[in-house]
Amino acid sequence: MPAGPNSRETSTARRTRVHVVSDVHGSTEALARAGDGADALICLGDLVLFLDYADHSRGIFPDLFGVENADRIVELRTARRYEEAREFGRGLWAGMDRNAAIVSAVRKQYAELFAAFPTPTYATYGNVDIPDLWPEYARPGTTVLDGDRVEIGGRVFGFVGGGLKTPMNTPYEISDEEYAAKIEAVGPVDVLCTHIPPDVPELTYDTVARRFERGSRALLDAIRRTRPRYALFGHVHQPLVRRMRIGTTECVNVGHFASTGRPWALEW
């Protein structure tokens, strides 16, 4: 906490400012500006843009299959007709090396996005990211953390990346048990940084997609047990509630950076 009014530190201590982003989804130009005025940038994942649900002409999917097919798959997914969406997708991918096409497109996006990160950047994976590729693109000055801790400006930040298993079957979804183990490995911290939110209805419901995204019960339990100052996350693009308190912890959805281009700021 900041020093009290009678402390000499009030006027002499150097303040620290951190900018936090999540759900970048291909927004390279905005990402390059996201660290302006901050001592560090934190990125909570989802760098890749596979398909923009607001603009179906953007992303890997329409680049490969065109906007009309993107319109159709968004329609099916939004209606929760997941099996029809998978069948439709299988037809489009027939005769193609799906993995090679996706990896090639992701590599192109990563080359641009990682080059845009300021120094220092602390980053973890989102559920649409491909962790195996990150070591190839993370330059000096970018620290990748997943189930790890780091000190920034005298505060301890913990990071847990990825998402939980869903019918969407995105690239970095893991089991509840594996996710809980990473939360446990982080332990008590001042600021707990994750891609997905704790499992609270107000924080997991997307008001535009009209569905609940998966939040983590293990994360919620850790917040209640270890009481970090802040729990920061993204994943839900248009949440019912962007911030709320759980006990003494301020839980904040730092925003859908791809649509706002504005980082969330934390200063102490």
Side-chain angles (χ1 to χ4, degrees):
M1 298 292 290
N6 296 322
S7 171
R8 293 179 62 187
E9 293 184 74
T10 302
S11 59
T12 61
R14 183 183 183 279
R15 298 185 66 79
T16 299
R17 182 181 177 90
V18 170
H19 287 176
V20 190
V21 301
S22 186
D23 300 87
V24 175
H25 295 303
S27 297
T28 307
E29 292 183 8
L31 184 62
R33 301 188 298 269
D36 291 354
D39 296 288
L41 177 70
I42 289 174
C43 180
L44 303 183
D46 271 11
L47 298 181
V48 173
L49 178 61
F50 188 75
L51 176 56
D52 189 333
Y53 276 56
D55 180 354
H56 303 169
S57 69
R58 298 181 65 242
I60 294 171
F61 189 93
D63 285 350
L64 291 171
F65 303 116
V67 176
E68 288 186 3
N69 286 322
D71 290 341
R72 177 59 176 160
I73 204 159
V74 168
E75 177 188 4
L76 292 172
R77 287 178 176 176
T78 302
R80 304 180 190 178
R81 293 156 62 184
Y82 297 120
E83 188 52 48
E84 289 181 63
R86 281 191 288 270
E87 185 63 30
F88 180 69
R90 280 193 288 266
L92 295 174
W93 286 106
M96 295 179 62
D97 186 333
R98 174 174 180 160
N99 184 66
I102 290 176
V103 168
S104 176
V106 169
R107 284 184 182 279
K108 181 179 179 182
Q109 290 189 14
Y110 277 169
E112 297 173 354
L113 289 159
F114 276 89
F117 277 144
T119 297
T121 291
Y122 302 92
T124 196
Y125 316 113
N127 60 292
V128 303
D129 288 310
I130 303 178
D132 288 347
L133 297 181
W134 280 38
E136 298 181 35
Y137 297 97
R139 306 175 303 166
T142 296
T143 303
V144 179
L145 303 124
D146 187 18
D148 301 296
R149 302 149 57 100
V150 68
E151 184 177 315
I152 306 173
R155 288 189 177 180
V156 178
F157 288 68
F159 291 78
V160 175
L164 299 174
K165 298 288 186 181
T166 72
M168 303 291 281
N169 195 32
T170 52
Y172 191 42
E173 294 181 353
I174 60 177
S175 69
D176 288 58
E177 293 76 17
E178 185 178 353
Y179 195 90
K182 292 196 294 183
I183 291 287
E184 186 67 23
V186 167
V189 294
D190 296 305
V191 184
L192 186 51
C193 300
T194 59
H195 178 67
I196 62 174
D199 187 17
V200 177
E202 294 90 338
L203 298 175
T204 58
Y205 186 73
D206 190 305
T207 60
V208 174
R210 292 179 297 177
R211 65 169 181 260
F212 288 97
E213 303 290 353
R214 284 211 64 190
S216 169
R217 173 60 57 172
L219 173 57
L220 176 60
D221 292 343
I223 290 169
R224 288 171 170 163
R225 185 177 67 255
T226 66
R227 295 181 293 178
R229 295 169 186 256
Y230 292 92
L232 308 179
F233 49 87
H235 187 56
V236 183
H237 292 179
Q238 297 90 195
L240 186 64
V241 173
R242 291 203 173 274
R243 61 192 300 163
M244 67 184 296
R245 280 197 172 271
I246 297 177
T248 60
T249 301
E250 188 75 12
C251 299
V252 183
N253 183 319
V254 300
H256 180 206
F257 185 72
S259 65
T260 68
R262 296 189 301 273
W264 186 81
L266 177 63
E267 189 172 357
W268 65 96

